[in-house]
Amino acid sequence: LAPRHDDAVVCATDLVAALGSAVPGLGLDLVGSVMTGGAALGELFLDRLVAELASAAAPLVIVLDDVHNMRNPGLLADLGRLALALPTTTRLVMASRWDLPLHLARLSLAERLIELRDEDLSFTSGEALELVTAVSRRTLPEETVRRLVDRTDGWAVGLQLAAISLQRAEDPEVCVAEFVGSDRLVAEYLTEEVLGRQDAAARRFLLDTS
């Protein structure tokens, strides 16, 4: 998902087009059910979509990545309604960098919701050893990898960036010891993925308070 999907018509069009490859006969005429004005998908669209999914011959998994790019409260509420209404043959997977107002408490109470958070996604020392060895093409002592896990909190991207730095490091031990947020690769990643996504006012605020 991208910021353009805050428009309900764009969101519905792309969703239906993606599902069409897995659900033969799913028509773009569904998009005509979307509420005018682009503020929300609306009950008519959701009801028709759920009915189409219920008639699908095979189980489905719908994956919505980068949901944090959506700021339209009406659409976010619709995603929560969709999650509640899906047939048992369909799974909805949503990935976001922060919590969103999706109102999924009923799913949680019904034990139909699985949440994976930072602690679930953090790499263990064993997983980190496998990743760093594969990417850096170096064999590192387990203690060195454990220190790297401590420095990155098991953050997968941080471990991969460290492994890339290790590819050209003369002394791996020194490289791990000096691997911090000022590392060029880490700085570039955070500049692009975090600072680059903020507006000018937010960047000025971050600079003034850093």
Side-chain angles (χ1 to χ4, degrees):
L1 295 172
R4 64 189 180 88
H5 291 110
D6 268 342
D7 183 292
V9 174
V10 174
C11 183
T13 300
D14 286 357
L15 178 60
V16 170
L19 287 170
S21 61
V23 185
L26 188 70
L28 287 174
D29 64 313
L30 266 175
V31 179
S33 306
V34 175
M35 294 176 59
T36 58
L41 296 171
E43 290 186 14
L44 180 58
F45 174 85
L46 293 175
D47 289 346
R48 290 187 60 191
L49 178 61
V50 169
E52 293 276 3
L53 295 175
S55 65
L60 293 171
V61 178
I62 302 172
V63 181
L64 300 178
D65 198 7
D66 292 335
V67 183
H68 54 267
N69 282 325
M70 298 185 72
R71 305 297 174 89
N72 182 333
L75 277 174
L76 289 172
D78 279 339
L79 290 182
R81 294 188 190 100
L82 178 62
L84 286 166
L86 285 175
T88 56
T89 54
T90 303
R91 296 288 181 268
L92 178 62
V93 179
M94 290 188 284
S96 173
R97 292 184 177 180
W98 49 78
D99 288 327
L100 296 166
L102 295 170
H103 310 299
L104 301 178
R106 283 172 55 193
L107 283 176
S108 184
L109 288 171
E111 298 185 343
R112 292 174 54 203
L113 178 68
I114 297 174
E115 293 184 275
L116 299 178
R117 295 185 172 274
D118 294 354
E119 59 271 18
D120 302 300
L121 300 175
S122 297
F123 275 39
T124 64
S125 293
E127 293 166 338
L129 178 61
E130 185 176 344
L131 172 67
V132 172
T133 300
V135 175
S136 69
R137 298 187 290 276
R138 289 176 180 265
T139 302
L140 299 176
E142 290 186 12
E143 180 57 34
T144 300
V145 175
R146 275 197 293 270
R147 285 203 302 274
L148 192 54
V149 171
D150 289 340
R151 297 185 76 84
T152 61
D153 289 327
W155 179 40
V157 173
L159 290 167
Q160 183 166 353
L161 293 173
I164 293 171
S165 296
L166 282 166
Q167 290 176 358
R168 55 182 180 276
E170 293 184 7
D171 189 330
E173 294 289 339
V174 172
C175 180
V176 170
E178 295 179 349
F179 185 76
V180 292
S182 58
D183 179 88
R184 180 180 62 82
L185 292 175
V186 176
E188 288 178 355
Y189 177 85
L190 293 176
T191 298
E192 179 179 343
E193 294 294 320
V194 180
L195 295 178
R197 295 172 181 264
Q198 308 304 315
D199 59 32
R203 285 198 293 270
R204 281 196 300 271
F205 174 79
L206 291 169
L207 179 61
D208 291 342
T209 56
S210 66

